[in-house]
Amino acid sequence: MEFLQYLFSGITSGAIYAVIAVGFSMLYSATDLINFAHGEFVMLGALCLVTMKAIGMPLPIAFLNAVLIVGLIGLIFERLAIRPVKRPQPIVLVIITVGASIFFRGMAMILWGKDTYSVPPFSDHPPIIISGAALLPQSLWILFIVLAVVACLYLFYQKTLTGKAMQACAISKKAAWLMGIPAKWMVSLSFLLSAAMGAVAGVIIAPITMCSYDMGTMLGLKGFCAAMLGGLGSLWGALLGGFLLGILEAMGVGFFSSSIKDAIAFLLLLFILYVRPGGIIGAVQAKRF
Amino acid sequence: MAILSVESLSKSFGGVQALQDVTFCVETGHICGLIGPNGAGKTTLFNLITGFYAPDSGAVHYRGRTLQGLPSHRIVGLGITRTFQNVELFSSMSVLGNVMVGRHVRTRCGFFRAILKTRGARAEEAETRNAALELIRFAGLKGDPEAPAADLPFGWQRLLEIARALASEPSLLLLDEPAAGLNAVETAALGDLITKIRDRGVTVLLVEHDMSLTMRVSDRVVVLDQGRLLAQGAPREIQSDPEVMAAYLGRPKEAGNA
Amino acid sequence: MSGLGGLSVRFRQSGFSVKIPSFLGPSLPYLLFAGAIALVGLWVENFYYLQVLTFIGINTLVALGLNMLMGYAGQISLGHAAFFGIGAYSTAILTVHYGFSPWIGLAGAISIAGLVALVVGLPTLKLSGYYLGMGTLGFGMIVHILFREWTSMTGGASGFVGIPPLSVGNYTFYSPTAYFSLVWGTVLIGVIICRRIIDSRIGRALRSVHDSEAAARAMGIDTHMLKLQVFVLSALFASVAGFLYAHFVTFISPGTFDFLTSVRMVTMVVIGGMASIWGALLGAALLTLLPDWLHTFSEFEMVVYGLILMVVMILLPQGLTRGILDLWEKSKGEDIDIKGESDGDSFR
């Protein structure tokens, strides 16, 4: 059945948008910064996995390594490019992060060339047929990993002291500082986590797409759309926005035309900005992480 | 005749009732003092009159017409101008530039006339400049009118804000704690300025914590407490009003406990 | 406010002042500017240099308009490539598909871009800060996708070929010198328009919105309307630039009008120095020349470009022109420079 097929593919890409949106949204809530280089972390994650696999690492190790490396890149990026900014005006930060995204893309082009790479799926089971619609095992992997990552993140924010400290910093940096929370370290940590989230998205998307140095930009922008859709700065909003965007995009492509695929995200973005700038969740309850 | 009448105005923010059923009038040509402890709802009242907030219920009438639903810029056009509790100057502009912005609603030059630099536009510009210079003198600001506004000492920034508000030729001027942060000498000069403003024919609604200033210049005083109208009358009556004393100082019995 | 009894060029540090005859005073910078254009036009014969200079002029036009929106009114747009593209595609479609004269194309470019800016700006400019940035970004992406996918009209991803050159009567702007003069003449007009707006009641209102929107409203300024007007103005500048671009290169493709172009336009304004007309010119010149210089880095081109953007923004967040070119602004008798230091929240 067509509808079910579109739904499967929508949920798959939705899960990826969701995890990108989560990374982007958590960084925004902790630092008030929209990181236009976030999509490049997705690309780096995917290409790192390609290389790790090529040198013969087993998948789980390659996965972890890719995420760790990209997380570290995020950390270094914050240190070198964001922290030295004395007066963080949004416009300046926009240009810096866009500059960074061009820089990362350029580096990736030098390291990996302009070729596209592909990675075999995480497991080689045959597709599962559900009333005529094929569900790829990789889709299940993606869904499972995304939900696991988000659950971990939720527990981290709710249960650990560091997570709570990050939330406190997100609400008021000054007050958190007065309470003895090292705000600078919290900012670094959010960059690390956010970049790692991007890398996770890259790793899980690698088997179902062509990986190349320029794959990140559009994914990043769509992740932003998803985060805005759900409500900027909200974990559940990012999740909801991601899945909603993925599903609507798949339906749009399926029932209308593939030429509007990329436009759907931005039309939704404008729609939500006009109707409810706080996002779906944000307007109901402006809950941060 | 009342220039402004506030009729059973109410406003709440979430669970906080900032104003509840407040009714009073401001007579044309008066200086009306509006006092009350912190959180009494004075600034909220200003924001309601000037269209920055919409009331939950009640109405504001200005010269017999309702201000309901009018955007704040239209209200300025009708002749009500305000100042801010925390001085809100245009910090990138000169002293003169700030006051010239105040002329905005009394001037008409738009994009096209500015680009064509028509005779009318130039004449208007010169007129704006002269009116602004006159108001700078009137407010008692000395020194270079081309100096950046942000460089003025704080007391003068207050005066500049008043001059800027006057530039819109208001019939009713709302001053939000103009004496906050001023020293005694500056406050005395401010009192004289407010009287001079009234003598120009401008009605003044003055929110102020400085009691001696309010009592000295006001023709009439309205007292708010916790969002309600507590009392109104001549300064002398207010000063001896037991309700007002209680609101400010606490009731004699409670005072012992506190 | 200038020109009343002569222009006095004041040098802040030295207190030194020069009197220039009043009939010359206000227009002196423009006369010098026009002279410089004429000199360059007569002197430079190298086709390549003239081409680069023409591109600088086209980008300057966009930057001038965007500077009114960002530098003066303090509103960000991450989608201005769309208006540049609307200008280019409108005239391309009108002249090639419908056979109109390019001047009808210009009228079409201006009216379509203006109308789109009005319709898009109406809801979008109610937003502020990052939300405004995202809204304009979304709009820019949609227009970009439209250029790419509306194949029957725009030629799709492979581009639009055969746009005719401009001509007046029997004269055609074939020679690079002629086109150079046309573009820079337009820039001169653009500069004068911006200067006049800035020095007027409207210019003051724009800066007041930038400094304190609450106070601007309290002074009776219809801030939403004003933002909308200046947004439309900046879109018109971009569309005229797009028109000139289309008839200059005669081939356009969607890649020229993507998100990165929008960011490059914003960068021109910011690197040149916000709220400075000559800064827009400097920024446009630098960002037009930069890719050429970077060719020497061959495959490191992108890396170096990204690094330069980051380093300049980290070290000089207020742009390059502050200081040097402030002098001309100061000579107009009013303090133009927006305080980049204090308004960390100017886009929020």
Side-chain angles (χ1 to χ4, degrees):
Chain A
M1 195 190 148
E2 273 187 336
F3 177 80
L4 205 59
Q5 187 68 61
Y6 299 146
L7 189 66
F8 287 161
S9 91
I11 289 175
T12 309
S13 47
I16 288 158
Y17 295 149
V19 79
I20 299 172
V22 166
F24 157 68
S25 199
M26 62 175 286
L27 188 66
Y28 177 81
S29 91
T31 62
D32 276 353
L33 171 111
I34 289 190
N35 180 13
F36 281 92
H38 192 66
E40 311 311 322
F41 293 141
V42 180
M43 173 271 292
L44 288 172
L47 290 179
C48 278
L49 183 80
V50 167
T51 305
M52 300 287 165
K53 290 278 286 181
I55 59 173
M57 271 188 206
L59 181 71
I61 309 286
F63 191 145
L64 272 181
N65 273 336
V67 171
L68 265 178
I69 290 172
V70 176
L72 281 179
I73 293 175
L75 199 68
I76 297 168
F77 168 56
E78 191 271 336
R79 259 293 154 74
L80 296 182
I82 302 297
R83 197 176 293 182
V85 181
K86 289 189 196 72
R87 295 179 189 89
Q89 290 167 276
I91 183 69
V92 169
L93 293 174
V94 165
I95 297 177
I96 289 177
T97 56
V98 169
S101 84
I102 297 171
F103 173 79
F104 287 137
R105 224 175 309 147
M107 283 308 253
M109 198 181 82
I110 293 166
L111 291 173
W112 283 282
K114 290 187 175 178
D115 307 329
T116 56
Y117 299 87
S118 61
V119 177
F122 291 179
S123 61
D124 46 10
H125 296 292
I128 305 155
I129 308 292
I130 301 168
S131 54
L135 178 63
L136 294 174
Q138 184 65 25
S139 296
L140 289 177
W141 276 112
I142 288 175
L143 202 60
F144 169 71
I145 291 171
V146 166
L147 292 179
V149 162
V150 171
C152 288
L153 198 66
Y154 180 72
L155 289 177
F156 169 71
Y157 276 115
Q158 294 301 318
K159 302 291 177 203
T160 68
L161 200 59
T162 318
K164 286 181 183 165
M166 273 178 86
Q167 275 184 299
C169 279
I171 294 162
S172 166
K173 233 169 237 149
K174 203 172 222 169
W177 181 75
L178 287 171
M179 291 292 109
I181 297 169
K184 272 187 182 165
W185 162 231
M186 291 300 146
V187 169
S188 300
L189 190 62
S190 6
F191 265 89
L192 188 144
L193 283 178
S194 160
M197 285 284 155
V200 168
V203 167
I204 56 179
I205 200 180
I208 56 165
T209 187
M210 293 298 195
C211 306
S212 66
Y213 77 102
D214 60 355
M215 68 186 279
T217 314
M218 200 45 128
L219 281 171
L221 288 178
K222 286 190 185 165
F224 301 160
C225 292
M228 286 297 227
L229 202 57
L232 200 53
S234 143
L235 180 65
W236 305 121
L239 267 185
L240 181 71
F243 281 109
L244 194 65
L245 174 59
I247 291 169
L248 286 174
E249 206 178 73
M251 296 296 163
V253 171
F255 291 112
F256 295 98
S257 137
S258 63
S259 60
I260 62 163
K261 177 172 187 253
D262 290 340
I264 290 173
F266 300 103
L267 287 170
L268 280 173
L269 172 71
L270 287 191
F271 178 75
I272 200 79
L273 281 175
Y274 296 163
V275 177
R276 203 167 186 169
I280 299 170
I281 300 259
V284 182
Q285 51 176 150
K287 188 175 174 291
R288 286 169 180 264
F289 277 86
Chain B
M1 194 201 112
I3 188 166
L4 184 85
S5 62
V6 171
E7 286 153 23
S8 41
L9 211 55
S10 297
K11 176 79 186 172
S12 63
F13 297 101
V16 182
Q17 192 73 36
L19 275 184
Q20 200 172 349
D21 202 22
V22 171
T23 302
F24 69 92
C25 288
V26 180
E27 294 296 317
T28 309
H30 272 189
I31 295 173
C32 177
L34 181 63
I35 62 171
N38 282 324
K42 298 168 304 224
T43 300
T44 305
L45 185 64
F46 263 34
N47 283 327
L48 289 172
I49 297 173
T50 50
F52 273 65
Y53 300 154
D56 296 338
S57 63
V60 180
H61 287 273
Y62 169 73
R63 291 184 156 161
R65 65 170 289 182
T66 177
L67 297 181
Q68 183 152 22
L70 286 184
S72 49
H73 59 91
R74 290 280 311 282
I75 293 176
V76 181
L78 291 175
I80 303 179
T81 310
R82 68 173 295 180
T83 65
F84 289 87
Q85 194 173 333
N86 320 309
V87 178
E88 288 270 357
L89 289 176
F90 304 126
S91 54
S92 77
M93 295 193 216
S94 66
V95 171
L96 181 63
N98 267 273
V99 183
M100 286 172 81
V101 172
R103 298 285 306 156
H104 190 87
V105 286
R106 303 293 164 226
T107 44
R108 289 184 32 233
C109 170
F111 275 89
F112 284 110
R113 293 209 290 162
I115 292 167
L116 298 175
K117 222 172 175 176
T118 58
R119 187 185 293 272
R122 274 177 293 168
E124 188 183 270
E125 192 70 12
E127 199 182 282
T128 305
R129 190 187 167 86
N130 290 335
L133 286 170
E134 193 270 322
L135 280 168
I136 290 171
R137 273 194 302 275
F138 174 78
L141 287 165
K142 294 173 186 69
D144 183 8
E146 304 281 3
D151 292 357
L152 288 185
F154 183 74
W156 286 18
Q157 294 193 8
R158 287 255 182 234
L159 296 181
L160 176 56
E161 216 189 325
I162 294 173
R164 186 181 67 184
L166 283 174
S168 68
E169 294 174 12
S171 305
L172 175 64
L173 178 65
L174 311 183
L175 298 175
D176 198 352
E177 296 194 25
L182 300 191
N183 64 31
V185 179
E186 287 168 337
T187 305
L190 177 73
D192 294 341
L193 178 62
I194 295 173
T195 322
K196 262 166 66 189
I197 290 170
R198 180 200 43 203
D199 297 343
R200 267 171 95 103
V202 180
T203 309
V204 179
L205 180 58
L206 169 71
V207 163
E208 189 47 69
H209 271 305
D210 187 315
M211 260 334 130
S212 63
L213 172 71
T214 316
M215 294 304 170
R216 177 159 76 84
V217 301
S218 299
D219 299 298
R220 220 180 142 72
V221 174
V222 173
V223 188
L224 288 182
D225 182 35
Q226 293 178 5
R228 290 161 197 273
L229 186 79
L230 194 65
Q232 54 178 324
R236 200 173 287 279
E237 299 161 27
I238 294 297
Q239 271 167 317
S240 54
D241 189 310
E243 286 288 320
V244 177
M245 307 262 274
Y248 270 89
L249 304 170
R251 291 177 194 283
K253 281 176 205 160
E254 290 166 13
N257 301 335
Chain C
M1 58 197 71
S2 55
L4 301 166
L7 174 76
S8 100
V9 182
R10 293 179 312 170
F11 294 83
R12 238 207 310 216
Q13 284 81 9
S14 58
F16 173 65
S17 98
V18 186
K19 281 280 177 192
I20 295 166
S22 65
F23 64 92
L24 259 182
S27 43
L28 186 70
Y30 310 126
L31 289 176
L32 289 175
F33 186 52
I37 295 170
L39 268 181
V40 172
L42 290 172
W43 191 25
V44 179
E45 283 177 355
N46 180 311
F47 178 82
Y48 175 73
Y49 289 146
L50 278 173
Q51 193 183 6
V52 169
L53 286 167
T54 305
F55 282 134
I56 292 178
I58 289 170
N59 283 332
T60 303
L61 265 183
V62 181
L64 279 175
L66 200 53
N67 182 37
M68 295 299 287
L69 180 71
M70 288 179 33
Y72 288 96
Q75 309 299 309
I76 194 173
S77 167
L78 291 176
H80 251 54
F83 296 116
F84 187 51
I86 288 174
Y89 273 104
S90 301
T91 189
I93 291 169
L94 285 171
T95 50
V96 175
H97 289 334
Y98 296 99
F100 285 116
S101 118
W103 303 108
I104 302 285
L106 177 63
I110 288 179
S111 33
I112 295 172
L115 203 69
V116 171
L118 196 69
V119 171
V120 169
L122 207 60
T124 310
L125 287 162
K126 293 215 169 98
L127 305 167
S128 60
Y130 274 127
Y131 287 83
L132 176 61
M134 295 310 277
T136 47
L137 182 155
F139 159 71
M141 292 300 294
I142 290 169
V143 172
H144 169 67
I145 292 165
L146 189 74
F147 293 152
R148 207 182 60 203
E149 302 295 338
W150 195 11
T151 318
S152 61
M153 271 294 168
T154 63
S158 49
F160 197 119
V161 285
I163 303 165
L166 288 181
S167 56
V168 179
N170 290 327
Y171 182 77
T172 307
F173 290 89
Y174 271 129
S175 85
T177 308
Y179 214 89
F180 165 87
S181 315
L182 176 72
V183 166
W184 281 93
T186 315
V187 170
L188 181 63
I189 294 171
V191 168
I192 292 173
I193 288 176
C194 288
R195 183 79 261 170
R196 287 186 167 184
I197 291 174
I198 291 161
D199 285 342
S200 76
R201 166 178 178 265
I202 296 295
R204 280 192 300 273
L206 288 175
R207 288 164 62 199
S208 76
V209 171
H210 180 287
D211 286 356
S212 164
E213 191 163 340
R217 279 169 58 203
M219 287 302 110
I221 294 166
D222 185 348
T223 51
H224 182 238
M225 179 54 102
L226 190 69
K227 286 189 224 168
L228 188 61
Q229 285 173 325
V230 74
F231 186 69
V232 172
L233 179 84
S234 69
L236 294 183
F237 269 74
S239 73
V240 171
F243 163 83
L244 290 169
Y245 176 80
H247 290 286
F248 182 54
V249 296
T250 69
F251 165 78
I252 52 177
S253 67
T256 315
F257 313 105
D258 63 359
F259 172 59
L260 277 183
T261 308
S262 291
V263 172
R264 196 164 65 236
M265 289 166 172
V266 168
T267 313
M268 285 175 194
V269 176
V270 178
I271 281 195
M274 293 224 271
S276 154
I277 285 181
W278 307 108
L281 203 157
L282 181 73
L286 283 177
L287 271 118
T288 314
L289 292 171
L290 195 60
D292 275 349
W293 295 337
L294 292 182
H295 275 316
T296 47
F297 293 97
S298 63
E299 61 174 351
F300 286 88
E301 189 184 324
M302 274 170 83
V303 174
V304 178
Y305 181 52
L307 270 181
I308 289 176
L309 285 190
M310 286 196 279
V311 170
V312 171
M313 282 292 81
I314 292 168
L315 299 180
L316 295 166
Q318 288 136 47
L320 300 170
T321 33
R322 284 174 62 92
I324 315 165
L325 288 156
D326 265 5
L327 209 61
W328 267 5
E329 310 275 46
K330 287 274 162 33
S331 74
K332 304 300 286 181
E334 215 181 335
D335 196 35
I336 298 292
D337 52 341
I338 297 294
K339 296 188 80 159
E341 310 91 34
S342 60
D343 46 14
D345 285 351
S346 53
F347 286 109
R348 320 225 57 203

